[in-house]
Amino acid sequence: MTELPAPLSYFQNAQMSEDNHLSSTVRSQNDSRERHDHGSERRRHGNTESVSNGRAPSSSQQVVEQEEEEDEELTLKYGAKHVIMLFVPVTLCMVVVVATIKSVSFYTRKDGQLIYTPFTEDTETLGQRALHSILNAVIMISVIVIMTIFLVVLYKYRCYKVIHAWLILSSLLLLFFFSFIYLGEVFKTYNVAMDYISVALLIWNFGVVGMIAIHWKGPLRLQQAYLIMISALMALVFIKYLPEWTAWLILAVISVYDVISIFLLLDLVAVLCPKGPLRMLVETAQERNETLFPALIYSSTMVWLVNMAEGDPEAQRKVSKNSNYNAQSTESESQDPVTESDDGGFSEEWEAQRDSRLGPHHSTAESRSAVQDLSSSILASEDPEERGVKLGLGDFIFYSVLVGKASATASGDWNTTIACFVAILIGLCLTLLLLAIFKKALPALPVSITFGLIFYFATDYLVQPFMDQLAFHQFYI
Amino acid sequence: MTLCAVKSQLASGETARPGQAFFWLVSLLFSSLIWFTTATLIGNKDEPREKYLLIFGVLISVLIQEMFRFAYYKLLKKASEGLKIINPYEKAPSMRLLAYVSGLGFGIMSGVFSFVNTLSDSLGPGTVGIHGDPPQFFLNSAFMTLVITLLHVFWGIVFFDGCEKKKWYTLLVVLLSHLLVSALTLISPHYGLNLVLAYVIMVLMGVWAFFVSGGSCRSLKLCLLCQDKDFLLFNQRAR
């Protein structure tokens, strides 16, 4: 089995979680190899090249390196197509976020901060503000690390039900609660009178269809649309609740962390730590033969596993191989504590409420793995011959946060927004090119976020005054 | 080899346009950097000096834009060569197509940056020209943006063709006409004059680009009269 059959992509599971922080890595797969090679399945061949958050590289790399003879042509040819395939969802997500920011003032109003960023930025001196934002960023990142370790522990001790429940819960919250708030704010902005009954019906339908599309079966486009909406909602929450300097710092640190985590993982697994936690997880996953993996790997493959379990042994074998691979990648992903606050940007009251009712929950690595798998669902094509690309939902969210923040707070306004947008797209292009070359999991965040940040600050402070003056005098360059 | 592979992706038509847009952005970045540093170095803020500084910025910007256009051409050339090495049988996108796409990328980016803020301001409450400025501000902006975008497309085609055929005077002509168009806008607020002249230059450039990319009077006539066998559905029936 080389590629996932078309129905598989159709049934892909998309799980969104609050962990937007998932750094995404790009994994490339070799199509032609897959066709002739069962083992190639381990590389997650099938319809998608995955962009997972860093963790996968270690496992995927080992697995992938088994099949080195790739058809470079095919890779390149597919590479360009994948770039385009990725442009559309990323662009859509950004467009939704920017449109909301521009029209709904709720998301630019300061209504407090997340509990993960306890230090305020309304200080008297600049130095104090810088210190506070650094502390905030540090706290966020450490929360992410802790969450990831927690997830790893959960996985190791086979608390699958907990993880599964957590993932379902987080997507429930996102689909119902956040979209309810969003709808309410949109109505307020446009002064639309609405009754509770209609709203209840709307939200109920939206949420239930979303849950089904994401966690079960549904048309691919619907899944993709829901994922985009969810990423946009998440990004909006981040834009609202993260103070300025903290947000920029977090973006920068996360992309750096992404790179570090990927290469560290590679080193760890390959050379330094034969018994490192990641390796342990991977091996454990393999031992367990991932029949239980579906609980953790909310991936398209998992769904396929569920569907095909009654099928022929050949299919089962393939499935188990895939799930092995997925498990590995998921595990490696869970190791990667790149997620931002796992509260997913929920407000404090909500956090408290949730905790009181359900006990402390964290949505990190699982959601990340889910998200990672989710991203695959976005891009898997229905043509078994075609390889898709996977991009972690965390990437969507961070790109949108960057562009949204640019449109919300930049003095250059649209110029800055567009500059950041182009910069991010070019970064994505470059990342995919690198993916085509290196053919292993790569972080998708660093290049784009770096470009985006550079262009944001440069456009805001350098280009904007220039263009402003030019437009005023009606000079054209 | 892999580096060529990397660049070859750029050569594929789809990614050329955002690539060129990015290059335009970078060129804008550099030119505004230069302008900004010069402005801060010179310091004082009297009105004519600012204007001269701006004019200086405009000219520098035009130069840098053309430089980046050339740089992009070099990049595309290397990329398509790399692609040919890797895959000699697959038909690489033609340089003309790439020239068109890259010119379009340049033009779109340039137009968007010139116009989008004005556009968003035009939605808001206000009166144009209330302080005595010409009331055709928005119209002028719109038409000027249009002509600049089209000009960039034509310049791109002519430029790349000149580079391909090693006719270096072409590059000089493109640069000079760009400078001319920008300099014309410096005489605003006499909008009418610079607009008309810019359109004339655009038409001339368009004609030049048309002939450079292989058109001819005959093919134009065939196309307009829908008799072009290579173009329309004629071929489908034959095959």
Side-chain angles (χ1 to χ4, degrees), chain B residues 16-94:
Chain B
R17 193 174 325 159
Q20 185 66 313
F22 182 68
F23 267 66
W24 188 87
L25 257 185
V26 175
S27 84
L28 182 64
L29 199 66
F30 279 122
S31 41
S32 42
L33 181 65
I34 292 179
W35 174 79
F36 194 75
T37 48
T38 327
T40 39
L41 281 178
I42 291 193
N44 50 359
K45 286 256 181 183
D46 46 341
E47 180 52 40
R49 213 174 237 179
E50 245 182 66
K51 205 156 182 223
Y52 295 146
L53 214 51
L54 208 57
I55 292 175
F56 166 72
V58 165
L59 298 177
I60 292 281
S61 175
V62 168
L63 278 170
I64 295 184
Q65 274 182 48
E66 295 303 325
M67 266 168 41
F68 270 82
R69 207 199 294 268
F70 186 68
Y72 197 65
Y73 165 76
K74 279 276 177 239
L75 187 68
L76 280 182
K77 194 100 184 100
K78 270 218 181 76
S80 48
E81 275 164 11
L83 193 61
K84 256 203 285 277
I85 295 174
I86 293 171
N87 185 3
Y89 300 109
E90 183 174 309
K91 183 172 173 300
S94 75

Side-chain angles (χ1 to χ4, degrees), chain A residues 79 418 433 437 463 473-474 476, chain B residues 6 9 32 140-141 182 185 188:
Chain A
I418 293 174
L433 282 178
I437 296 176
V463 176
H473 288 108
Q474 282 289 290
Y476 280 86
Chain B
V6 177
Q9 273 213 358
S32 42
N140 179 63
S141 285
S182 281
T185 65
S188 74

Side-chain angles (χ1 to χ4, degrees), chain A residues 95-109:
Chain A
V95 162
V96 169
V97 170
V98 170
T100 310
I101 295 267
K102 287 287 180 203
S103 53
V104 179
S105 63
F106 172 72
Y107 288 104
T108 40
R109 232 172 27 224

Side-chain angles (χ1 to χ4, degrees), chain A residues 52 57 84 156 164 191 199 255 286 288 298 367 386 427 439:
Chain A
S52 55
I84 304 303
K156 189 162 179 345
H164 199 79
N191 210 13
V199 167
S255 49
Q286 274 177 325
R288 296 178 189 176
Y298 291 84
S367 25
E386 271 206 35
K439 302 194 198 318

Side-chain angles (χ1 to χ4, degrees), chain A residues 6 12 56 61 65 102 106 128 135 153 158 218 225 240 268 287 308 330 381 394 401 440-441 443 462:
Chain A
Q12 277 180 357
Q61 192 199 8
E65 272 160 2
K102 287 287 180 203
F106 172 72
Q128 221 176 5
L135 285 173
V153 163
R158 302 170 183 265
K240 180 173 172 64
L268 276 173
E287 285 162 27
M308 299 294 282
T330 314
S381 94
V401 166
K440 56 187 183 191
L462 291 178

Side-chain angles (χ1 to χ4, degrees), chain B residues 120-174:
Chain B
S120 89
D121 282 338
S122 74
L123 289 175
T127 310
V128 191
I130 197 170
H131 287 299
D133 300 308
Q136 297 94 15
F137 184 78
F138 290 135
L139 279 178
N140 179 63
S141 285
F143 280 110
M144 204 60 204
T145 309
L146 172 67
V147 82
I148 291 273
T149 307
L150 286 174
L151 270 172
H152 271 299
V153 175
F154 298 142
W155 280 330
I157 296 176
V158 168
F159 192 94
F160 277 42
D161 180 72
C163 287
E164 283 280 302
K165 301 205 175 107
K166 303 271 188 278
K167 292 189 203 159
W168 305 114
Y169 72 89
T170 318
L171 307 193
L172 202 60
V173 171
V174 167

